Every structure is written in structure tokens, then in C-alpha cells.
């Protein structure tokens, strides 16, 4: 759990005010069936914080004007924690994101990720925070520093970039996380390294392929048939 977990739940409850439901810090977390899977105070807190994050990105007052950006940054650790438990389990992500990862690997190997004799190209996949969580969970990726946000926050409009570069007969793949701070309406994005299990932002394409092969569930992959030459 994040540091001062109970205290942050209490602080969030104080910002939201009293209601009919019990205080967040007194609602036990339980494993349940259905689409959510993990319910309780952590789930409610995460839902509120995600709503605030979306409000922040849209330029709207957060929590009826009761929450300022520094308070959001601090509480986001609760949201990241909940998603890590409820959404980033390996068995869940193998089923949900193996197809996406297989497509990404195909593009990197074919030169669509930047490495080709012609100078490369790019493939853009539009998705959700769940897809970012899924790819990072399958590949063991993380972005430990994305100031002012806590580590591994999936910011609205954020993206994971994998770039393949050919050099010396080998291909390296480097990962980075791009995000906006919503400080103005420019849409400018900051970029930080996303780190593989090696602790580095770059690994060889061979290493990446082996890493993915250990987690991709081929039963969930639907790649198009190769075109006839």
C-alpha cells in the first residue's frame, strides 16, 4: 500500500464531505464477482480520483471546486494502487492485451516502429488507460518519475512510445511515456523514460520478443494473414 494510505483516504473523505455512505477509510476492501472484481473503500476512492483527474484534464473544477492540483497529485497514489491490484494482474492482462502486444511486436519487427532501410514509419494505437496498464504489466514496464504525477500514473492523453532503432546489424527498442501537465491549453507534452525489468529504457528487439513470448496468450491473438507478394 502507498505510504499514509489510511490517512489519505481520510483526507479525501474530508475534502468530499460527509454523506450517507460510511467514511472511505472504514469501508472494507473485498474481492467480488462481476466486472469490477475488487470493491470497497479503495474502489470508491479510486473512482472519485479518476473523475477528478478527468475533470482536471478538461479544465473543470475538481470535486466541486474543493480539490487543488497539489492535492490531486498526492491522492493519485491511491488510484495507481487500486489499478495495480484490480487491473494489472498478469492473468487478466494476458487475456486482455495479448492481441495488442502481438500487433505492436509485429510493427516493431517490420520497421513500422522506426527501424527500416527507408527510414522507418510509425504505428499509432488509440486506446485507454487500461491498455497502457496492460502493456506495461505484460512487459514489466514502469515510469517511476513523471512529475508532478506519482509513478505509473496513466494521465488523460498520455501515451507509451516504443521506438525501434537499427544499428550495427541489431535492433534496439526504447520505451518512453509522454504526458501533459495540463498547465495551459497548449497541449505540450513531457517525456520520461519507461523502464523495462532490466531497469533501463532500452533493450534489444530479440530480448523484447522473448519477453513477450513468455506472456502472450496466442489463443487471444488475431493477426491478419500476410499479404501475397
Amino acid at each position: 500500500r502507498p505510504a499514509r494510505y489510511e490517512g489519505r483516504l481520510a483526507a479525501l473523505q474530508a475534502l468530499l464531505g460527509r454523506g450517507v455512505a460510511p467514511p472511505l477509510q472504514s469501508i472494507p476492501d473485498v474481492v467480488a464477482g462481476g466486472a469490477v472484481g475488487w470493491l470497497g473503500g479503495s474502489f470508491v476512492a479510486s473512482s472519485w480520483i479518476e473523475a477528478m483527474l478527468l475533470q482536471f484534464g478538461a479544465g473543470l473544477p475538481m470535486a466541486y471546486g474543493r480539490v487543488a492540483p497539489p492535492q490531486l497529485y498526492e491522492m493519485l497514489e491511491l488510484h495507481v494502487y487500486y489499478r495495480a491490484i484490480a487491473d494489472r494482474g498478469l492473468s487478466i492482462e494476458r487475456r486482455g492485451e495479448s492481441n495488442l502486444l502481438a500487433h505492436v511486436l509485429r510493427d516493431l519487427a517490420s520497421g513500422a516502429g522506426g527501424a527500416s532501410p527507408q527510414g522507418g514509419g510509425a504505428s499509432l494505437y488509440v486506446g485507454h488507460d487500461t491498455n497502457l496498464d496492460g502493456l506495461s504489466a505484460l512487459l514489466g514496464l514502469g515510469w517511476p518519475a513523471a512529475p508532478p504525477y506519482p509513478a505509473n500514473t496513466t494521465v488523460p492523453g498520455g501515451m507509451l512510445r516504443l521506438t525501434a532503432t537499427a544499428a550495427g546489424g541489431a535492433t534496439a527498442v526504447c520505451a518512453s511515456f509522454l504526458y501533459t501537465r495540463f498547465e495551459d491549453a497548449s497541449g505540450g507534452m513531457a517525456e520520461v523514460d519507461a523502464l523495462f525489468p532490466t531497469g533501463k529504457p532500452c533493450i534489444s528487439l530479440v530480448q523484447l520478443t522473448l519477453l513477450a513470448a513468455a506472456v502472450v496468450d496466442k489463443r487471444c491473438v488475431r493477426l491478419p494473414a500476410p499479404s501475397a507478394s
Side-chain angles (χ1 to χ4, degrees), residues 73-147:
Y73 302 146
E74 183 174 346
M75 289 186 296
L76 271 168
E77 286 195 6
L78 297 174
H79 181 54
V80 174
Y81 166 72
Y82 175 81
R83 293 188 63 85
I85 300 298
D87 299 324
R88 290 173 59 117
L90 185 58
S91 59
I92 296 173
E93 301 299 5
R94 290 188 69 195
R95 186 178 183 89
E97 304 300 334
S98 285
N99 191 48
L100 174 58
L101 179 53
H103 279 77
V104 170
L105 281 172
R106 178 201 59 181
D107 291 344
L108 288 169
S110 67
S116 76
Q118 294 76 30
S123 295
L124 181 65
Y125 292 89
V126 180
H128 300 272
D129 50 2
T130 52
N131 302 115
L132 291 174
D133 279 338
L135 286 178
S136 60
L138 291 177
L139 294 176
L141 279 168
W143 35 100

Side-chain angles (χ1 to χ4, degrees), residues 169-185:
T171 299
V173 178
C174 294
S176 60
F177 181 69
L178 287 81
Y179 64 99
T180 181
R181 300 184 179 95
F182 301 110
E183 295 170 339
D184 53 44

Side-chain angles (χ1 to χ4, degrees), residues 151-211:
N152 300 320
T153 300
T154 49
V155 186
M159 64 181 71
L160 181 64
R161 178 160 65 187
L162 299 175
T163 304
T165 305
T171 299
V173 178
C174 294
S176 60
F177 181 69
L178 287 81
Y179 64 99
T180 181
R181 300 184 179 95
F182 301 110
E183 295 170 339
D184 53 44
S186 69
M189 303 189 81
E191 183 175 4
V192 296
D193 288 339
L195 305 181
F196 287 99
T198 59
K200 298 180 179 180
C202 300
I203 61 175
S204 71
L205 180 59
V206 172
Q207 288 176 298
L208 181 63
T209 302
L210 292 174
L211 184 63

Side-chain angles (χ1 to χ4, degrees), residues 21-80:
L24 292 171
Q25 61 273 25
S26 69
I27 304 175
D29 292 327
V30 295
V31 176
V36 177
W38 194 40
L39 296 171
S42 295
F43 166 71
V44 178
S46 174
S47 299
W48 270 107
I49 295 166
E50 181 172 18
M52 294 175 198
L53 185 60
L54 294 174
Q55 290 167 343
F56 185 45
L60 299 172
M62 292 183 287
Y64 315 108
R66 300 175 181 177
V67 174
Q71 294 168 307
L72 173 67
Y73 302 146
E74 183 174 346
M75 289 186 296
L76 271 168
E77 286 195 6
L78 297 174
H79 181 54
V80 174

